[in-house]
Amino acid sequence: MGNFEPIIVAFCCHYCAYTAADMAGSMRLSYPANVKIVRVPCTGKVDVQHILQAFQNGADGVYVAGCLEGDCHFKNGNTKAARRVIYAKKLLNEIGLEEERVEMLLMSAGMGERFAQTAFEITEKIRKLGPNPIKKAKKS
Amino acid sequence: MITAERKPMEEILDYISPFQRIILVGCNECVTVCAAGGRKEVGLLSSALQMAFMKDGKTLSVNEITLERQCDPEYVEELVAHISQADAVLSMACGCGVQEIAKRFPQKPVFPALNTKFMGASESQGVWSERCKGCGDCILGLTGGICPVARCSKRIMNGPCGGSTNGKCEISPDVDCAWYLIWERLKALGQEDKYEDIIEAKDWRPSWHGGPRKIIREDLVE
Amino acid sequence: MTQKNNKILVIGGGIGGIRTALDLATAGRDVVLIDKAGSIGGLTTQLDRTFPTNNCDLCTLSPHLSESGRKERIELMGLTQLADIEGEAGSFKVTLVTKPRYIDMDKCTACGDCFEQFKECVQFTPGLDYRAPTCMRYPQAIPQAYSINIEKCTDIDKLTEICQADAIIPDDIEKKQEIEVGSIILATGADLFNPDVLDNFGGGTYPNVVTGLEYERIMSASGPTFGNLVRPSDNKQPLKIAWIQCVGSRSINTDKCEVSYCSSVCCMYALKEAIVTKERFQDDIETVIFYMDMRTSGKDYELYRMRAENEYGVKLVKSRPHSIMQDPATKNLSISYPLNGNSALQTDTFDMIVLSTGFRIPDETQKLAQKLGIEVNKHHFVKTSSFNPVETSRPGIFVCGIYESPKDIPETIVQASAAACMASEHLDILEKIPKIQDELPAERDVTNEETRIGVFICDCGFNIGGVINVKDLAKYAAKLPQVAISEVAGHGCSTDSMKHIQSVIKEQKLNRIVIGGCSPRTHEAKFQNIIRNAGLNKYLLEIANIRDQDTWVHKDHPDQASAKAGDLIRMAIAGVAKRRPLPDYLLPMNKNILVVGGGVSGMNAALNLAVNGFKVYLVEQAPELGGVAGKIRKTISGEDVQSYMADLIKKTVNQDLIEVITGATIVDHKGMTGMFTTGVQIAPRMYYRQIEHGITIMATGALPIQTDEYLLGKHEAVITQLELDAVIEDEPERVNSWENIVMIQCVGSRTKENPNCSRVCCQTAIKNALRILEIKPDVRIFILNRDIRTLGFHEDYYRKAREKGVIFARYEPENQPIVKKDGGLLTVTFKDQILGREIEVSADCLALSTGMAADDEATEDLAMIFHLNRTSDGHFLEDHIKLRPVDMSVPGFLVAGTAHSPKSIRESIAQAQAAAGRALTFLAADMINTGAGVARVDSKKCAACLICVRACPYDIPYINAEGYSEIDPAQCHGCGVCAAECPAKAIQLMQYEDDMISAKLNGLFGIGVE
């Protein structure tokens, strides 16, 4: 498991986290290639179903990255997303997956550095958790 | 509407663990409205169950079908085409739906995925409260439109009891005292005098005390 | 002004000319855009990357260029110059002369056959690259046609034969024509100084001494070495490179064609070149910049400098080297220089030296100014005033960009939009704008077609192609399901590639397109337009962001970058297969404007819009108009700010179309471009009122920095520069009583808490020092500074102050001056860098340059109400730092003045005019396109549960008479909350449908793909 490279799906809001990721790009701030971004118009669009689907498909971690508290382009999509992430955590718990595998993050469009930094942190956290147990069972 | 809640995953898994192929049936009526068993919840449960199986090194094939109403045999008929490919059926409807499916497919194990809770109303987004017990003899006309049968913890007919404090029931400060609400409502209607009327001991025979109930509309019967 | 014509002539097709032409055209004006070169683009097209984003310039510029080529209202004339002018504002008659191109533009297909055959005939000095007699200046040129230098051609017949299109006209002649225009905008830019006249730097004979622009060309993928960094003498990669700043600029001996002004951009471009170099070669290369003052005073530029030093290890040496010595054998170069406070010289050897040369107004531009009869300053730049920054001395003639004063791209763009506003102010729109839809080909119905996906992978020069193997990626994509064709597209956004993609779509009957390239945020609209013009619905497109989110960030791990690129392409292919044709929704435009902030910027923006006939609500929080500018007495050039402001307020208040609402606080806001509603509470009774408007301009200003450093507020002799400005004007007798005056710069700026530069303090300190010396010439003034940042012509004032005996002493942040109270007097102790010892001055007045900072509380509230982005220091964030400095990322929002970043009155006015100009581009349209990303309800699935009705942040869904949820597409904002919460899965958000996202998630994990 020493060289386990997790696959992490990041649902990123077009108005903040996705822009922050582009910003990290223009600032050439490196972050782990493990993170794959799915662009959404608002984290309020992120469906628990898609979070589960990511895990079912083999993701080791998922995060939803929306705008800062109160900064949602659509008023409160980010707080709704945060509640759904909690719901997703409960579901994961119920089927025996670590709830830490899914997180909600907040950042603004200007936070290229924060995007890169959180990508590092989440990747490290998931690396410590080890592979998605579903995948492990699949392989064996 | 009839409200329901998903059963703990463990219980559902216990039911279906012996099987490899199931039909997961949602219902587009009450349980959709109370976000317990509509198309969306079917999708979520399906993913969760499949993952739980995969985690144990097993696979589960789930056929997701949401019927318009599980409590009508015609709609249930839609399952016929799929039933032979399934080892069991898991229903996300209220108890009525589960039974309707079980009746139609006597050879198939049918399991409930929900606990049917009560007949209730939406208080606000995501919050539902009990409003009716289906007692078969409605007295809302006497009680200002607030039901003491469903909403008084003791179902007393001439309340409130001594446990009513500041408009709340003694069983929990989160529960409104139905009789307090009735009083306030009658006051607002200017019908305080109604409060003085004694409601006689309720006849519970129209309720389930007379065994399972049935309604027959003769003009409609074929 | 008698109007005869609404046409506007723009002279110069650089970035400024293009922006001004586009703004004018979008606002409904006819434009003639002329450039002396064969294609437009100007200097910017030769740059490799631009600061501070380090983007590839062609990639960001070319979409704008082709937009310019496409606009129906712009007549583009290459190789054309103005020969004569008559008449006056509103009805100029100008004579234009077009040089022969020797190529029929209608026939030339830009195939490049002629170029192939006649390569390496002519050397193109400024870019170090070889130029054939048939020449296109850069790969994405507009117009897309070659031009021929007939004199350099040895065999004209052979050249004519080569052309399959029969486009070569060997006997082409010069054409002359006369046109009538209402206004003229000068956007001629400037040349770069040629340092060959400086023999101390080799006089052009040292091969490894290059100019900044030549270095750009060497680093550029489209340059002579195809982007390989090699030094000219031996084609070897250099290991140690130095930059020398201010070559030819800020000079005190102006005999050798050197000039005294500062060219304003060289510090940033040298930093950029050094960073880009370090990025590519990391520790394998050493970079040193020799500078006099590091002038990084633009928005977030100070952070860029810090990154250069701290993250990239670019070494900055404060010294102006006298000369360069070349080792005749190795062609290595050495520089001797004294290091801080050390009189002994140190010698360092470099493989390559870059001379940071600045701007010069060329002779032909000087002649143009004479022809036009406009006043210029002593440096031959156009004379303008602080209060009318884009107006020349001749009515009807305007200026933008470098010809006004040396400046960088964002400032040029600001002035370009400002010039567009001012030049069209008195010209009515004479005809209606044609509807864009009319010009487009019919959309092909793809619903019953078998899915055929076309994949085009950009290499984007080295940006993508330098990190991963794009050919392999294209090959990989070709094998994926439903992919009909997959190929490499070079610069996908270049005219060539665009045309190619369009023809492939038609030939291959493609019905879904995937572009592997840069961010959809910046290029989606561009590529949507490409496929729409090829007859496809524009939403049948998916962009895999393999640059910004892959090769740029994983360049150190090419293997990981390649793997991730594969993942992203798979996702895009799976996603695009599920995309469906969608209609755009159109809404009527509310043409009123809300201007937030009644300072100098807000009032100027409001007035310029009102003059154009639009209703403006000017909302100011304070009880009165005026803002911070209302407190300033004089500008550095001596203009009277007080009387200007009094006049401005009078004009604003008396303008019928402006409703001034003071004492007003913004409390709520809803809607979208063209239909905003903003709620304000108005003092003193705080009554609530709603304003309906289509456009919002944020001009909320900034605040003077508050501090108690250096005994400010604790000792009466300690005042701010703003207070000093008033004392000089109102209490000259107090100034007369002073013997020693000390000024401390960067108080509260360039600190840990506020890392950015306040931009105006250096010029303010010098302004005040010079005014004090006028009152009392023998007073002693010390200006303690970290760098003196007098950009452009302000350098002349810096020089004047030095000549008049003002003492400038530098301090380092770790060694700040110490101020002590000594009875009624103050003593200021600082370390003099040149003498190397502590100096103590007793000061009668200590003026602190406290600068300005964003009003963090106010911008935070407003950002929350309006959903705007802010920078980390609390300024409003524009949509694109370089190319869209006025527009904000929320459509319909514009920013002006110090709410954007610290700036002077002149710069604030320019941006206010620019905001008005940008607003005019929106206001010209009667309808606005709200896009296709709306929620749709499947009535068969809907359970009428009301969850969407309750979840929608804008209360759009309702249960209709038929008993299911209905969502008005014209009102839907497209957030998708309803779709994500619908328990019956009856709602889909178009463009982000569940099956599309689901397919992407499957594609990512290779499910159903491999």
Side-chain angles (χ1 to χ4, degrees):
Chain A
M1 211 200 276
N3 52 3
F4 158 58
E5 285 300 336
I7 304 175
I8 295 162
V9 175
F11 292 98
C12 290
C13 161
H14 170 83
Y15 290 94
C16 50
Y18 193 89
T19 310
D22 278 355
M23 186 81 107
S26 25
M27 292 163 84
R28 307 298 191 279
L29 300 168
S30 137
Y31 57 82
N34 309 60
V35 174
K36 328 283 178 188
I37 294 175
V38 177
R39 182 165 69 131
V40 288
C42 171
T43 48
K45 171 70 189 77
V46 177
D47 202 313
V48 180
Q49 177 70 65
H50 293 138
I51 298 176
L52 292 191
Q53 192 196 342
F55 284 113
Q56 198 178 337
N57 285 359
D60 301 293
V62 171
Y63 65 91
V64 179
C67 304
L68 295 176
E69 191 82 38
D71 277 0
C72 174
H73 187 74
F74 303 103
K75 293 189 183 174
N76 55 2
N78 52 354
T79 55
K80 286 185 166 127
R83 286 203 290 263
R84 284 184 218 142
V85 167
I86 294 171
Y87 188 68
K89 279 172 177 285
K90 276 188 196 149
L91 277 169
L92 290 188
N93 243 336
E94 277 196 278
I95 55 171
L97 259 64
E98 300 86 345
E99 61 168 53
E100 296 89 339
R101 290 189 186 273
V102 57
E103 291 299 345
M104 178 81 198
L105 299 170
L106 305 177
M107 65 186 73
S108 77
M111 294 180 172
E113 280 168 63
R114 181 166 155 74
F115 182 88
Q117 189 202 333
T118 47
F120 267 112
E121 288 168 6
I122 298 261
T123 309
E124 267 326 292
K125 194 172 87 173
I126 302 294
R127 211 191 292 274
K128 279 197 192 111
L129 277 174
N132 178 349
I134 288 172
K135 266 200 308 200
K136 236 185 343 192
K138 234 191 212 170
K139 272 182 201 151
S140 61
Chain B
M1 96 199 85
I2 294 170
T3 62
E5 250 180 348
R6 183 172 51 74
K7 282 180 173 291
M9 203 64 75
E10 222 182 330
E11 191 183 337
I12 300 173
L13 283 168
D14 267 354
Y15 287 137
I16 62 163
S17 60
F19 307 106
Q20 275 149 32
R21 306 170 303 164
I22 62 164
I23 304 182
L24 181 56
V25 195
C27 175
N28 206 32
E29 284 288 339
C30 313
V31 289
T32 293
V33 178
C34 70
R39 228 168 260 106
K40 182 181 181 72
E41 296 302 315
V42 166
L44 291 178
L45 183 61
S46 165
S47 282
L49 294 176
Q50 291 180 60
M51 276 198 271
F53 268 64
M54 283 156 86
K55 205 175 134 265
D56 294 338
K58 303 192 292 179
T59 51
L60 175 70
S61 121
V62 182
N63 187 359
E64 303 171 21
I65 300 171
T66 298
L67 302 181
E68 187 56 38
R69 241 188 340 270
Q70 286 190 27
C71 51
D72 272 314
E74 289 88 341
Y75 290 121
V76 174
E77 210 55 30
E78 286 174 35
L79 297 179
V80 171
H82 308 276
I83 200 78
S84 62
Q85 277 101 55
D87 309 325
V89 180
L90 185 60
S91 163
M92 292 197 90
C94 67
C96 314
V98 182
Q99 294 180 57
E100 208 51 38
I101 294 175
K103 184 181 84 186
R104 177 63 186 80
F105 305 110
Q107 311 298 323
K108 285 287 167 193
V110 176
F111 302 103
L114 304 184
N115 287 323
T116 309
K117 304 291 276 200
F118 50 77
M119 284 183 273
S122 320
E123 263 187 31
S124 58
Q125 183 88 312
V127 182
W128 296 271
S129 297
E130 181 157 19
R131 291 285 181 265
C132 179
K133 284 279 185 198
C135 70
D137 178 22
C138 191
I139 55 163
L140 283 167
L142 307 174
T143 56
I146 290 150
C147 179
V149 180
R151 300 174 72 178
C152 166
S153 307
K154 288 176 174 167
R155 299 190 191 175
I156 51 177
M157 290 299 120
N158 296 284
C161 73
S164 175
T165 316
N166 298 327
K168 298 291 173 188
C169 174
E170 67 183 333
I171 67 154
S172 159
D174 299 330
V175 176
D176 289 323
C177 168
W179 277 102
Y180 173 82
L181 295 177
I182 292 168
W183 169 245
E184 289 295 315
R185 174 88 174 122
L186 290 176
K187 250 197 330 194
L189 290 167
Q191 299 176 355
E192 288 99 325
D193 51 324
K194 268 201 177 170
Y195 190 68
E196 301 289 318
D197 298 341
I198 300 293
I199 302 173
E200 307 246 318
K202 187 167 161 60
D203 177 1
W204 290 105
R205 277 173 304 177
S207 184
W208 71 286
H209 289 249
R213 291 170 285 179
K214 194 176 252 185
I215 299 172
I216 299 170
R217 269 284 296 271
E218 275 157 5
D219 57 327
L220 294 175
V221 174
E222 284 182 10
Chain C
M1 187 181 311
T2 50
Q3 186 190 340
K4 290 209 182 119
N5 199 308
N6 82 334
K7 216 177 236 185
I8 293 157
L9 174 68
V10 178
I11 306 179
I15 186 95
I18 291 170
R19 181 75 266 156
T20 207
L22 283 174
D23 279 358
L24 286 165
T26 318
R29 315 288 171 168
D30 287 330
V31 181
V32 178
L33 175 60
I34 65 170
D35 197 296
K36 61 176 195 259
S39 57
I40 58 171
L43 193 55
T44 325
T45 55
Q46 291 168 34
L47 307 179
D48 177 39
R49 313 261 184 93
T50 56
F51 59 79
T53 50
N54 291 3
N55 277 348
C56 152
D57 238 301
L58 279 178
C59 310
T60 32
L61 182 69
S62 58
H64 291 252
L65 290 177
S66 37
E67 197 184 342
S68 177
R70 205 182 61 220
K71 275 264 154 44
E72 291 284 309
R73 287 184 166 272
I74 301 174
E75 188 183 344
L76 202 61
M77 297 169 70
L79 302 168
T80 303
Q81 284 174 288
L82 180 138
D84 200 15
I85 178 168
E86 275 173 42
E88 57 181 27
S91 58
F92 288 114
K93 199 175 276 178
V94 292
T95 310
L96 304 178
V97 174
T98 305
K99 287 209 179 97
R101 186 185 278 267
Y102 303 104
I103 282 187
D104 185 335
M105 300 270 285
D106 296 331
K107 286 185 186 164
C108 176
T109 59
C111 64
D113 286 349
C114 55
F115 173 69
E116 284 298 318
Q117 294 286 329
F118 286 83
K119 231 177 212 169
E120 299 187 5
C121 286
V122 180
Q123 203 172 8
F124 180 44
T125 336
L128 271 183
D129 55 358
Y130 294 102
R131 195 158 86 142
T134 62
C135 164
M136 202 147 56
R137 262 170 60 195
Y138 59 103
Q140 286 99 326
I142 303 277
Q144 181 72 358
Y146 286 84
S147 65
I148 291 171
N149 185 341
I150 210 87
E151 282 135 50
K152 303 278 178 181
C153 187
T154 45
D155 189 346
I156 294 172
D157 290 342
K158 198 177 164 203
L159 178 69
T160 319
E161 266 168 45
I162 282 168
C163 184
Q164 299 286 318
D166 202 18
I168 293 172
I169 318 166
D171 52 355
D172 200 6
I173 48 159
E174 190 173 276
K175 291 179 198 78
K176 202 179 236 186
Q177 60 174 306
E178 213 172 68
I179 60 165
E180 288 194 14
V181 294
S183 320
I184 297 170
I185 297 174
L186 300 172
T188 50
D191 279 359
L192 283 164
F193 172 59
N194 179 355
D196 288 356
V197 291
L198 303 175
D199 47 16
N200 52 330
F201 292 148
T205 60
Y206 299 165
N208 296 329
V209 174
V210 297
T211 67
L213 184 64
E214 285 168 339
Y215 192 76
E216 295 272 350
R217 297 303 302 151
I218 292 174
M219 293 291 277
S220 170
S222 64
T225 57
F226 300 101
N228 293 314
L229 175 56
V230 290
R231 59 180 206 163
S233 71
D234 51 11
N235 281 329
K236 279 192 188 134
Q237 189 196 310
L239 302 174
K240 202 169 170 187
I241 306 179
W243 279 258
I244 299 177
Q245 296 306 102
C246 306
V247 173
S249 304
R250 295 184 66 189
S251 179
I252 43 171
N253 17 302
T254 45
D255 51 329
K256 284 185 208 154
C257 312
E258 295 184 65
V259 292
S260 64
Y261 57 83
C262 161
S263 286
S264 303
V265 299
C266 325
C267 284
M268 279 301 282
Y269 86 58
L271 284 170
K272 170 198 70 182
E273 289 174 356
I275 287 177
V276 171
T277 308
K278 285 298 267 186
E279 241 174 26
R280 271 174 63 184
F281 303 101
Q282 287 92 32
D283 295 339
D284 300 340
I285 213 158
E286 211 178 309
T287 54
V288 186
I289 299 176
F290 292 93
Y291 72 100
M292 301 210 288
D293 294 279
M294 200 30 83
R295 294 186 165 171
T296 47
S297 50
K299 187 172 190 174
D300 284 352
Y301 288 1
E302 190 66 20
L303 301 175
Y304 192 76
R305 180 194 64 77
M306 285 157 66
R307 263 197 349 255
E309 273 191 288
N310 305 335
E311 280 174 40
Y312 291 96
V314 175
K315 200 168 140 198
L316 302 183
V317 177
K318 186 177 163 52
S319 169
R320 179 166 182 151
H322 166 269
S323 53
I324 299 171
M325 305 303 284
Q326 179 182 256
D327 180 326
T330 61
K331 307 285 186 210
N332 286 345
L333 307 156
S334 61
I335 293 176
S336 300
Y337 59 96
L339 215 52
N340 286 345
N342 194 341
S343 55
L345 287 183
Q346 180 175 333
T347 302
D348 227 343
T349 309
F350 299 93
D351 300 317
M352 223 175 144
I353 289 178
V354 183
L355 304 180
S356 293
T357 56
F359 298 118
R360 285 292 186 286
I361 298 302
D363 289 346
E364 55 183 347
T365 308
Q366 293 181 35
K367 280 182 203 142
L368 176 67
Q370 282 170 8
K371 259 182 215 155
L372 295 171
I374 54 170
E375 276 181 52
V376 294
N377 68 12
K378 65 173 175 183
H379 303 297
H380 312 292
F381 289 77
V382 177
K383 210 175 197 172
T384 61
S385 86
S386 292
F387 306 137
N388 292 304
V390 297
E391 282 183 37
T392 70
S393 60
R394 181 165 178 183
I397 303 184
F398 303 85
V399 64
C400 68
I402 299 171
Y403 192 22
E404 188 268 334
S405 66
K407 57 175 64 68
D408 59 14
I409 292 175
E411 282 183 79
T412 297
I413 300 254
V414 165
Q415 280 199 342
S417 291
C421 174
M422 301 311 285
S424 57
E425 199 167 273
H426 300 284
L427 305 181
D428 288 335
I429 297 174
L430 297 182
E431 39 176 313
K432 279 262 161 213
I433 315 170
K435 285 217 171 68
I436 299 164
Q437 278 89 339
D438 302 343
E439 303 155 17
L440 292 172
E443 245 177 56
R444 201 171 94 210
D445 180 10
V446 302
T447 38
N448 295 322
E449 288 179 14
E450 173 201 352
T451 305
R452 289 179 62 78
I453 302 171
V455 181
F456 300 90
I457 314 270
C458 305
D459 65 16
C460 202
F462 282 95
N463 284 289
I464 298 171
V467 179
I468 61 171
N469 186 328
V470 286
K471 275 188 196 147
D472 287 354
L473 184 60
K475 263 187 224 158
Y476 169 74
K479 289 187 214 134
L480 296 172
Q482 297 178 310
V483 174
I485 186 165
S486 170
E487 50 180 55
V488 172
H491 284 92
C493 52
S494 67
T495 317
D496 257 354
S497 304
M498 274 160 31
K499 271 197 190 147
H500 176 70
I501 292 171
Q502 287 176 331
S503 64
V504 176
I505 290 174
K506 287 178 197 157
E507 281 161 24
Q508 298 278 331
K509 285 227 131 230
L510 302 177
N511 49 27
R512 301 286 188 289
I513 304 300
V514 168
I515 305 288
C518 55
S519 177
R521 277 191 329 110
T522 52
H523 279 62
E524 194 170 49
K526 173 92 203 151
F527 285 109
Q528 283 179 338
N529 193 47
I530 292 173
I531 72 162
R532 179 63 195 84
N533 275 294
L536 285 182
N537 181 280
K538 67 180 190 180
Y539 296 105
L540 299 171
L541 168 81
E542 189 71 44
I543 297 182
N545 191 342
I546 59 169
R547 189 188 73 175
D548 301 35
Q549 295 181 0
D550 188 28
T551 54
W552 273 1
V553 284
H554 310 310
K555 61 180 162 34
D556 301 335
H557 305 281
D559 49 330
Q560 293 179 12
S562 301
K564 184 170 167 183
D567 292 342
L568 297 179
I569 288 289
R570 257 196 338 270
M571 270 170 92
I573 289 171
V576 86
K578 296 286 178 192
R579 283 206 174 252
R580 55 212 86 191
L582 298 171
D584 278 340
Y585 292 94
L586 298 170
L587 274 183
M589 175 91 195
N590 178 319
K591 300 205 175 184
N592 300 337
I593 301 105
L594 173 67
V595 177
V596 186
V600 66
S601 307
M603 283 190 280
N604 268 293
L607 277 168
N608 286 314
L609 287 164
V611 169
N612 275 287
F614 294 102
K615 165 90 185 171
V616 182
Y617 298 95
L618 180 60
V619 170
E620 166 60 44
Q621 190 160 26
E624 272 158 28
L625 297 175
V628 175
K631 300 192 181 104
I632 300 170
R633 300 299 197 272
K634 286 274 165 71
T635 66
I636 192 166
S637 41
E639 292 140 320
D640 184 350
V641 182
Q642 290 290 300
S643 64
Y644 168 75
M645 288 302 288
D647 184 49
L648 185 65
I649 292 171
K650 205 169 119 194
K651 271 197 223 155
T652 305
V653 175
N654 292 339
Q655 166 58 255
D656 290 341
L657 284 170
I658 301 178
E659 183 178 341
V660 177
I661 308 170
T662 52
T665 313
I666 307 267
V667 288
D668 58 47
H669 174 80
K670 64 176 183 197
M672 58 182 75
T673 315
M675 47 180 293
F676 292 123
T677 308
T678 302
V680 293
Q681 273 183 331
I682 303 162
R685 279 190 232 139
M686 302 314 282
Y687 82 86
Y688 177 79
R689 160 176 183 189
Q690 282 191 329
I691 296 169
E692 310 255 311
H693 55 109
I695 295 290
T696 317
I697 296 178
M698 303 301 291
T700 52
L703 292 175
I705 291 172
Q706 301 295 319
T707 176
D708 56 1
E709 266 184 282
Y710 302 116
L711 301 176
L712 183 66
K714 294 180 194 127
H715 194 289
E716 54 171 13
V718 185
I719 56 177
T720 65
Q721 291 286 4
L722 190 60
E723 289 162 343
L724 178 58
D725 171 70
V727 169
I728 294 168
E729 205 64 20
D730 308 340
E731 307 166 66
E733 66 288 350
R734 194 165 149 202
V735 175
N736 252 314
S737 71
W738 294 337
E739 297 296 332
N740 287 321
I741 297 155
V742 180
M743 299 181 181
I744 302 178
Q745 300 302 102
C746 302
V747 179
S749 304
R750 299 180 67 187
T751 60
K752 239 187 205 136
E753 299 75 38
N754 177 31
N756 272 309
C757 164
S758 284
R759 191 170 173 97
V760 297
C761 321
C762 284
Q763 66 173 76
T764 309
I766 288 167
K767 165 186 84 174
N768 287 342
L770 288 172
R771 282 157 76 205
I772 290 169
L773 287 167
E774 261 168 43
I775 296 171
K776 192 174 181 186
D778 58 345
V779 73
R780 288 209 296 177
I781 303 175
F782 299 84
I783 299 183
L784 311 182
N785 65 83
R786 290 174 57 191
D787 289 285
I788 287 294
R789 294 179 165 177
T790 41
L791 298 169
F793 309 129
H794 292 151
E795 183 68 15
D796 288 337
Y797 295 100
Y798 176 29
R799 183 176 173 183
K800 191 169 163 196
R802 295 199 311 270
E803 282 167 1
K804 289 202 166 190
V806 176
I807 295 162
F808 289 85
R810 189 170 302 247
Y811 74 86
E812 294 303 323
E814 55 277 6
N815 212 346
Q816 291 192 350
I818 296 160
V819 177
K820 280 197 190 121
K821 213 188 308 196
D822 183 8
L825 276 179
L826 282 172
T827 60
V828 182
T829 315
F830 60 92
K831 191 172 176 193
D832 185 282
Q833 305 269 348
I834 296 165
L835 300 175
R837 63 183 178 88
E838 302 242 306
I839 291 183
E840 191 179 285
V841 183
S842 77
D844 304 297
C845 169
L846 172 64
L848 303 181
S849 290
T850 48
M852 60 178 108
D855 184 350
D856 195 46
E857 240 171 74
T859 57
E860 191 182 358
D861 286 349
L862 290 169
M864 206 173 271
I865 293 170
F866 291 124
H867 304 295
L868 302 172
N869 289 318
R870 296 193 307 156
T871 59
S872 51
D873 61 359
H875 287 104
F876 287 122
L877 182 63
E878 60 275 36
D879 192 34
H880 190 287
I881 306 164
K882 205 78 189 171
L883 295 169
R884 281 162 68 80
V886 184
D887 295 63
M888 303 184 78
S889 60
V890 179
F893 275 79
L894 305 162
V895 60
T898 50
H900 166 271
S901 65
K903 47 174 66 76
S904 65
I905 291 179
R906 168 189 280 266
E907 291 159 341
S908 294
I909 293 173
Q911 206 179 10
Q913 292 171 344
R918 293 294 301 147
L920 292 176
T921 65
F922 288 96
L923 296 166
D926 294 326
M927 302 296 280
I928 42 167
N929 189 337
T930 59
V934 297
R936 270 193 207 165
V937 181
D938 180 345
S939 59
K940 286 195 206 86
K941 287 183 176 170
C942 176
C945 68
L946 293 164
I947 283 180
C948 56
V949 175
R950 294 175 186 139
C952 176
Y954 305 100
D955 299 332
I956 310 299
Y958 66 99
I959 305 298
N960 65 14
E962 275 101 80
Y964 60 85
S965 166
E966 188 166 322
I967 298 173
D968 179 1
Q971 290 189 62
C972 174
H973 290 230
C975 66
V977 161
C978 55
E981 298 207 342
C982 174
K985 284 268 139 240
I987 307 181
Q988 290 296 329
L989 180 69
M990 297 301 107
Q991 287 186 265
Y992 295 93
E993 301 87 352
D994 285 325
D995 61 347
M996 203 274 284
I997 292 180
S998 176
K1000 278 189 178 179
L1001 288 170
N1002 287 339
L1004 171 60
F1005 291 94
I1007 294 169
V1009 169
E1010 280 162 312

